[in-house]
Amino acid sequence: LTGRAVMTDLVDPGQEHDIGHIRVADRADLMIVAPATANLIARLAAGMADDAVTAVALATRAPLLLAPSMNVNMWQHPLTAANVRRLIDVAGAHVVGPGDGFLACRWTGPGRLAEPADIVAAAARLRSAQDLAGRAVVITAGPTHEPIDPVRYIANRSSGKQGYAIAAAAARAGAKVTLVSGPVALATPPGVNRVDVETAREMADAVKRALPADVAIMVAAVADWRTLEAAPEKMKKRGSAPPALRLTENPDILASVAVHEKRPKLVVGFAAETEQVIDHAKEKRKRKGADWIVANDVSGDVMGGNANAVHIVSDKGVESLPEMPKDDVAAALVERIADALVKSGSRSR
Ligand code: PMT
């Protein structure tokens, strides 16, 4: 798959000549063993180096990430537990999983190899700077649904992708993340505490419950209006005239967080604009009391799409980033947030 040579045999002079286990060990930034069987864990814990994997693990100075996978009884055996403990305590190894569930051996319980996405996330956490370690971050994402009747609602096209990417990036940077999410079809990023809500008022309550926090990042596309009163039963077509919806304004979550007695040190809002993007974002920053507004032009396919081009508006001016994947926007924003917290002197890194 990688198009690179695979090292399988420690005693094959041909392979050693091509790759060399010490060269592999020296070059690695991180060593992932997936799956890590009971046998391999035992041999690693004993410091053995009699095959390619154990030899590289012993020789490398890179962090070691183990993803155990085995029968539940093997996993729960005191010898395996002691071996894992020894690898963590003596060798500083990191462990992801195992998951709990139905196993290939037909037993049920802990022993399943962690999901690939969780292994990748654990690896990313080990590789990324823990710039937000010890910080609490509350993030909103997705749309809100404002009921018209039991089956209909007012909503918008937000997919939650941008907010979820920011939650994942903040968690990777070591933050304790509460993600208050409107209805979306996305998996919870690893290490994130997700609170599901439907309406703007539920979102406002959940955000307040998540305070105090060091940072609030309000990415959700909150419906500005809701129906004055949702019909208790499904509305019927009566006569020829369509029903008139009476709307009322929703609470402004961003504005209320900005004046809250437990106001986070950094309050970041987003602005979804279709024209005069930066001017409107500047006005919104002042009106809503946010420290930063991240403005994006939603006249194209930013809502629901995978890429975004944002302008970060603060009291220092405007920083415009080129279009990039939403994951990269998230990483860039989290980096700037970590820097701002350090500069504000709220704590050193
Ligand atoms: O979810 P995706 O498909 O990935 O799309 C991402 C996005 C386009 C939704 C996102 O990048 C974005 O722009 N989010 C803000 C959407 C929005 O509602 O913008 P706004 O300009 O209407 O609101 C300004 C700010 O006030 C936002 O931080 C919003 O969360 C907040 N707000 C708005 C209304 C309200 N009642 N309460 C709020 O807190």
Side-chain angles (χ1 to χ4, degrees):
L1 284 174
T2 61
R4 308 252 184 120
V6 176
M7 184 179 175
T8 55
D9 195 346
L10 197 58
V11 292
D12 177 340
Q15 280 198 8
E16 248 325 86
H17 181 261
D18 282 346
I19 316 173
H21 69 277
I22 298 298
R23 202 140 47 90
V24 170
D26 286 349
R27 265 203 218 148
D29 295 313
L30 172 69
M31 179 168 181
I32 305 175
V33 182
T37 61
N39 178 48
L40 188 62
I41 286 173
R43 294 193 304 114
L44 287 170
M48 291 174 71
D50 61 344
D51 65 9
V53 175
T54 51
V56 173
L58 201 62
T60 190
R61 301 186 75 172
L64 176 64
L65 175 64
L66 302 171
S69 170
M70 64 195 74
N71 162 267
V72 53
N73 297 326
M74 293 170 97
W75 173 248
Q76 289 175 339
H77 196 290
L79 283 174
T80 303
N83 288 335
V84 171
R85 194 70 268 148
R86 183 171 161 77
L87 282 165
I88 294 170
D89 293 345
V90 180
H94 303 267
V95 179
V96 52
D100 200 325
F102 187 66
L103 306 176
C105 56
R106 297 183 167 273
W107 280 74
T108 299
R112 283 170 69 89
L113 181 68
E115 292 300 323
D118 292 334
I119 299 174
V120 171
R125 269 199 299 281
L126 284 172
R127 290 289 302 139
S128 64
Q130 296 288 288
D131 288 348
L132 291 179
R135 308 287 192 177
V137 179
V138 55
I139 298 168
T140 64
T144 61
H145 285 184
E146 310 297 333
I148 295 171
D149 68 15
V151 297
R152 303 179 177 97
Y153 53 78
I154 301 170
N156 57 65
R157 295 180 194 280
S158 168
S159 63
K161 286 178 189 171
Q162 185 63 84
Y164 274 56
I166 295 169
R172 273 199 303 278
K176 179 174 162 285
V177 178
T178 303
L179 173 62
V180 181
S181 173
V184 297
L186 297 175
T188 309
V192 166
N193 171 33
R194 169 171 165 180
V195 181
D196 284 316
V197 298
E198 289 226 353
T199 65
R201 284 179 296 173
E202 287 169 10
M203 188 171 270
D205 288 344
V207 167
K208 277 182 202 139
R209 278 198 303 275
L211 298 179
D214 297 284
V215 185
I217 314 172
M218 306 285 96
V219 197
V222 184
D224 287 317
W225 305 282
R226 65 177 187 275
T227 52
L228 198 54
E229 227 174 318
E233 307 297 340
K234 185 180 169 207
M235 289 163 73
K236 297 269 181 249
K237 279 194 207 164
R238 282 201 191 90
S240 55
L245 295 179
R246 291 183 64 208
L247 301 180
T248 184
E249 209 166 302
N250 265 328
D252 193 306
I253 305 169
L254 173 61
S256 62
V257 166
V259 294
H260 198 278
E261 52 176 357
K262 295 180 191 158
R263 185 191 198 278
K265 292 175 197 87
L266 189 65
V267 175
V268 181
F270 267 65
E273 307 294 346
T274 54
E275 34 93 42
Q276 296 178 55
V277 175
I278 292 174
D279 286 346
H280 284 152
K282 284 181 177 166
E283 182 277 321
K284 253 177 208 170
R285 190 180 85 82
K286 289 212 172 98
R287 178 161 48 86
K288 300 201 179 207
D291 298 305
W292 300 357
I293 286 282
V294 181
N296 44 202
D297 186 337
V298 293
S299 46
D301 60 359
V302 163
M303 269 200 184
N306 294 320
N308 200 357
V310 300
H311 311 271
I312 304 174
V313 178
S314 71
D315 61 348
K316 309 243 168 356
V318 181
E319 184 189 7
S320 296
L321 304 182
E323 185 180 89
M324 55 179 95
K326 284 180 177 172
D327 286 343
D328 293 352
V329 171
L333 186 61
V334 163
E335 203 182 301
R336 282 157 182 74
I337 288 171
D339 280 350
L341 289 177
V342 171
K343 282 190 192 130
S344 75
S346 68
R347 210 182 58 203
S348 60
R349 254 195 237 175

